[in-house]
Structure formats: C-alpha cells, structure tokens
Amino acid sequence: SFVMAAALRAARSFLLARLATPRLIISAGKRRRMIPPIILAGAITSWAATHEKTSAKQAFPVFTEEDVSRHDGKSHPEMWVSFQGHVYDITDFVREHPGGKMIIDAVGGPLEPYWGYWAYHLKVKKPREWLAKFRIGKLQLAESVEEGEEGTTALVDLETNELDFYTDDPHRDQMVHDVIIDRPFCSQSRPEVLGNARITKADDLYVRNHAPVPHVDPDTHKIAIEGHDGTVFAAVGLAEIFGRREGKRERDQSSSSSSSSKYPRVAFESVIQCAGNRASEMIASHERKAQPIFKNHPFEKISIGMMGNVEWSGVLLADILEDVVPGVSKMQGMHVVFSGVDGYETSTPIERILDRSCGAILADKINGKPLPLDHGYPVRVFLPGIAGARSVKWLHNIRLSPRECESTWQRNYYKEAGGRQSIQELPHQSLILSHHLPVDKSSIELGGIAWGGGGGE
C-alpha cells in the first residue's frame, strides 16, 4: 500500500543515516540485524499528564521528513520524532524520560523502527498516550495517503515486513511456557514444571527478554572490559575465557571438551529468579494503596513461575577482573556495569562480584549443555542470590563505574519497596505447589519448594 511504502522509505532513510555513526551489527544467517544500543520511551510518569502540547481539536500544520530531521537537538535545539503519520516535539520530555538521554538517539526520524525493536511499547497503551500529548503536526509523506483515524492506523506492519526484528527468535514450547507477552518474549514456568524435579530443564526455564534475541558468533565475539574513564583494559574472546572447544560447536551438544583456558572452570547449582516474580501477589496486596507499577500491564499476570533451579558452569568473574584490571581488588565502592548485545544494561556493587564465595560467574553452560539462545548463548553473567535482572545475557561489555548504571532498568525498575534502592539480593522464599487434606482432616500435607535467596541456596 501507499502507506506501507512511504513509511518504509522513511524508516530506511533514517536507519541508514544513523548507521553513519558506530553501531552494533550482528550476523543472523543471511540477514543482518541492526541492534540500536538505545532505550526509547518506557514507563510513563504522571509528569507527562500535565504537559499537553496540543488540543485534539486544533488543526495541525504539515511537516516534511526533512523538517523532522532538522529538529535533531543538535543543529536545532528542538527534538522532534514522527510516528504513524504525525509529528511530535519531545524536547521537554527528554529530561524526564525514564530511559535517560538515550532517547536522543531516536530524535530526527521515525519511531517505528525503534518501537519495533523495543516492542514492549506496542503492547501497552501508555507510550502512545504519552506521545499524543506532544503532537504538533502531521507528516507529509512521499505519496498522498488518507490519514488513519486519530493516527491509530499503523504505517508499518510490524508483524509482516522487514522492520520485524523478531523473525529470528527461537521456537518455544507453548505447552511448557505460560506466555506473558510474545514480543519481546517473556514467559513463566508452569507450577507443575517447578514441582517435577529439583533441577529445572533448560527448555522449561522461564524466559525474560527485553528485545529480540541476538544471534552472536561465539568464534568472533569479544567482551570489552573498561574502566570508568573509558580505558579499555582488554577485549577478551570466548576461547580465551572458556578454552577452545574441540570438535564441532553445537548448542545442542551435551558436552564438549575444552583446552587452553587461562581460568579454572566452576560449576554449581543455584536458583535464578526474575525480580518481577509474583507480581500478581504484589498487586493484590496493594489494592488499597497507591497503584503499583505493574497494574494494567501484561506483567500483572506474573504468578510464581519466573524462577528455576539449574546447574551453572563457567568462570569466576573475580578471576577475570583481577587478571585484566590493575588494582581492581582495591576499588571498594565501585559498581560493575554489564551490557548485553541486545541493549540491556544493569550493574551490581563490585564487592559482590569480587567475593569468590558469592560465585559470580561468566556462564557458558547450564545443566551441562551450552546456553540456549533465550538464555544468553554464547555467554552471560550469572550472580547467585541476586535478582535475575542483574544477570545480563549475551554479554559484550563490562565497565567499572563509581556509581550505579543509569539505564532505565536500574533507575526506574527492579527497585526495593519505596523505589529508592535497586534490588540486588533476594529474600528467603517458599512456594506451596500442592496440598492434600486427608478424609479425617487430621492434618494437611503440603508440597513445594524453598530457597535461601541471597544465600544462593
């Protein structure tokens, strides 16, 4: 259609312009996927409700794509974006944006490719409601097209065209996973799966993604380790960390021998749990209080299944950092920032990383097999006893910082009660998975699981 063609041209031209600056591109079979290391509009603050830029009844002026591109916050102080045939001035909101100043990377062009990547924005109403408050005009397209009703008709069909970043996501067994949202894929394990065995099968383990699953070549992938001033201490390949694998490298190989690693391997059993697990219980307990953050979101359906217990295998982060970073053992009070290929970023205090008894590792296997794609293949962070939000998948950068990471996942989400302290250690918890009341009602038989939270048990 004219609408589709015009929108695709706008998206292509904007993406090509952005590629003039350094950008991470990952081979994915015969395709090449652009992974913009940015965080666009996230949760919508109450602040936005008081800053309407326009009235829904007023006549809007018409702007061209060139007009939008000029308002990039650099050559022009104002910051504009386009979406679904309309133009928006987000200058005032940039300071309050939950994702920080990274939203500037989207300025001067269409939002479709970015919201197509960070697809959560398309699953809830709030991002569009927020955007509508900053509408200043219509976008003049290359062909004359009929405007969609109130701008709600999508110019780009993210389900079918080349801007669909999710077509290479792995297959998931819907019989095992209780799906919360499909893009980005988030699921919880069913209660019967958790109760079947002490060790959770990799295919049964919950999935919490924030973006499309990247396809990373383990033979060429390197992890950069940097100081807070930008000093690059090393760019370490996976063969150096884990040793070269002998024989064919396959994700479904049960095991493969390794050699030439300079770091000793470790393996242990530990629970991993999403910081948002049991959100439905939290909502129920706050019904009479202020509306919790998950209310009226897909994640309000999370019950008990965003956790599992697996065997982790890899190399201690302390061994790597002490080998690569001079004087790291004396850097008390610092934070270690982990960044994934998908654009996700978060941090943990360095003391927790350097304490070998805490077991912080770079993992390449779970349950004796290479990591599945959904769980970070070929390398991820795992921090026992720490909220799963801090165990970054598809790791590509480690950075030392005097302060916490400033990403939206650290600044706005995964916080302790009150919203000030970032969640790190999880508390001791238990789940009742079954119960039986005998005929004589003399007792109740309970079955379930318990784990030690921050103790990693």
Side-chain angles (χ1 to χ4, degrees):
S1 68
F2 286 145
V3 175
M4 181 75 70
L8 286 176
R9 273 196 297 276
R12 286 194 194 99
S13 62
F14 184 62
L15 287 172
L16 287 173
R18 290 304 190 199
L19 287 173
T21 58
R23 199 116 336 228
L24 188 59
I25 300 179
I26 302 167
S27 295
K30 295 181 179 180
R31 301 181 54 184
R32 290 174 70 78
R33 170 175 298 172
M34 287 172 292
I35 308 295
I38 53 94
I39 301 168
L40 287 177
I44 309 307
T45 63
S46 59
W47 176 91
T50 63
H51 287 72
E52 286 203 26
K53 284 272 185 172
T54 61
S55 167
K57 296 182 180 180
Q58 78 177 76
F60 288 103
V62 177
F63 299 104
T64 65
E65 294 171 8
E66 184 179 355
D67 292 329
V68 175
S69 66
R70 284 201 303 267
H71 293 75
D72 59 1
K74 300 174 183 176
S75 56
H76 192 286
E78 292 183 349
M79 302 180 190
W80 292 7
V81 295
S82 65
F83 185 67
Q84 295 186 349
H86 301 298
V87 178
Y88 304 86
D89 180 355
I90 62 172
T91 307
D92 293 339
F93 186 69
V94 166
R95 293 188 299 273
E96 303 293 332
H97 178 242
K101 295 181 179 179
M102 289 183 179
I103 194 175
I104 295 175
D105 206 32
V107 169
L111 277 179
E112 281 88 346
Y114 294 96
W115 281 11
Y117 183 82
W118 302 107
Y120 179 73
H121 298 82
L122 303 173
K123 298 294 183 179
V124 293
K125 295 180 179 179
K126 285 189 176 182
R128 294 172 191 250
E129 292 173 351
W130 158 74
L131 195 63
K133 300 177 186 299
F134 297 92
R135 180 179 170 187
I136 59 171
K138 302 177 183 179
L139 182 66
Q140 180 181 342
L141 301 175
E143 287 94 353
S144 176
V145 297
E146 184 176 349
E147 178 186 359
E149 180 182 355
E150 294 300 321
T152 58
T153 302
L155 292 180
V156 176
D157 184 352
L158 296 170
E159 297 295 330
T160 60
N161 64 53
E162 65 187 287
L163 291 181
D164 184 356
F165 294 99
Y166 289 82
T167 56
D168 288 337
D169 266 21
H171 171 75
R172 291 96 174 189
D173 187 348
Q174 304 292 323
M175 299 299 293
V176 174
H177 291 268
D178 179 9
V179 179
I180 298 168
I181 55 175
D182 59 344
R183 298 182 178 204
F185 188 81
C186 297
S187 70
Q188 55 185 344
S189 300
R190 299 184 186 279
E192 57 269 25
V193 169
L194 296 177
N196 280 343
R198 179 181 179 89
I199 297 294
T200 308
K201 295 179 181 178
D203 290 341
D204 296 348
L205 188 62
Y206 81 93
V207 176
R208 176 65 172 104
N209 293 337
H210 296 85
V213 174
H215 292 249
V216 180
D217 183 352
D219 295 319
T220 59
H221 185 64
K222 292 182 181 295
I223 299 171
I225 302 175
E226 304 178 359
H228 65 88
D229 59 355
T231 301
V232 178
F233 296 111
V236 189
L238 301 189
E240 183 178 354
I241 297 174
F242 301 114
R244 294 190 179 278
R245 299 185 187 278
E246 298 173 356
K248 185 178 179 182
R249 182 192 299 267
E250 295 283 355
R251 283 195 305 274
D252 57 358
Q253 293 278 323
S254 61
S255 64
S256 54
S257 57
S258 303
S259 62
S260 22
S261 172
K262 63 192 300 187
Y263 309 110
R265 290 191 67 90
V266 297
F268 52 83
E269 179 185 326
S270 184
V271 167
I272 182 169
Q273 180 186 2
C274 178
N277 198 33
R278 308 176 82 158
S280 58
E281 296 177 33
M282 181 194 72
I283 291 171
S285 67
H286 285 74
E287 283 295 336
R288 297 182 181 180
K289 301 179 182 180
Q291 190 178 57
I293 192 169
F294 284 144
K295 189 67 174 176
N296 298 322
H297 284 64
F299 296 119
E300 69 180 345
K301 298 184 295 183
I302 300 173
S303 57
I304 63 173
M306 275 198 155
M307 58 83 62
N309 185 50
V310 301
E311 182 183 89
W312 301 89
S313 177
V315 172
L316 287 171
L317 274 161
D319 286 346
I320 299 172
L321 293 180
E322 290 179 0
D323 177 51
V324 170
V325 182
V328 70
S329 60
K330 299 180 180 179
M331 296 182 180
Q332 289 85 2
M334 297 285 281
H335 297 261
V336 182
V337 181
F338 300 108
S339 302
V341 172
D342 60 339
Y344 183 81
E345 186 175 83
T346 188
S347 66
T348 295
I350 196 170
E351 288 80 8
R352 183 81 190 201
I353 304 301
L354 296 181
D355 185 346
R356 285 175 169 76
S357 67
C358 292
I361 64 171
L362 289 189
D364 64 340
K365 295 182 181 181
I366 57 174
N367 296 341
K369 298 181 180 180
L371 294 164
L373 280 172
D374 265 328
H375 296 291
Y377 179 82
V379 60
R380 68 172 295 165
V381 175
F382 177 63
L383 310 178
I386 299 292
R390 312 302 169 206
S391 291
V392 173
K393 299 185 285 189
W394 312 290
L395 182 73
H396 85 97
N397 185 275
I398 299 173
R399 186 176 75 255
L400 304 180
S401 172
R403 60 187 64 86
E404 275 193 339
C405 169
E406 296 185 355
S407 74
T408 186
W409 300 285
Q410 195 89 25
R411 294 175 55 209
N412 300 289
Y413 304 122
Y414 309 127
K415 311 290 274 189
E416 300 281 2
R420 294 185 178 182
Q421 187 83 17
S422 295
I423 293 176
Q424 293 290 340
E425 290 191 3
L426 293 173
H428 183 98
Q429 298 174 64
S430 63
L431 299 173
I432 297 175
L433 299 177
S434 64
H435 66 278
H436 173 67
L437 182 63
V439 177
D440 61 5
K441 299 182 180 180
S442 61
S443 62
I444 299 177
E445 297 178 4
L446 300 177
I449 54 179
W451 67 103
E457 301 174 1

